Amino acid sequence: LALQMVTRTDNVSYGYWIANGATSLWENFCSKEFTANDAASFLVERYGIDTELATKDAYIWISKLQDCGAIID
């Protein structure tokens, strides 16, 4: 079942997200200093996401990265 979940490519599956650039946010900012506003701007420019939603999502993303130790404040 787990293999089926990660290898599916229909919308909105994990495979769909990966196939359509879901890792591009991390790839763009990996090994760089960035702010939530930088990440939000990237989301707005790359995916056309509403600025308010992109900013909210960027703060959540950064918080999750801090929680797992991927970035330090």
Side-chain angles (χ1 to χ4, degrees), residues 5 8-17:
M5 290 173 54
R8 286 180 39 205
T9 58
D10 56 315
N11 193 12
V12 286
S13 66
Y14 180 76
Y16 178 86
W17 296 338

Side-chain angles (χ1 to χ4, degrees), residues 6 18 26 57 60-61:
V6 298
I18 298 301
W26 176 251
D57 287 349
I60 292 169
W61 179 64

Side-chain angles (χ1 to χ4, degrees), residues 6 9 14 17 22 24 30 48-49 51 57-58 64 71 73:
V6 298
T9 58
Y14 180 76
W17 296 338
S24 63
C30 183
I49 297 172
T51 302
D57 287 349
K64 297 297 181 185
I71 61 173
D73 191 6

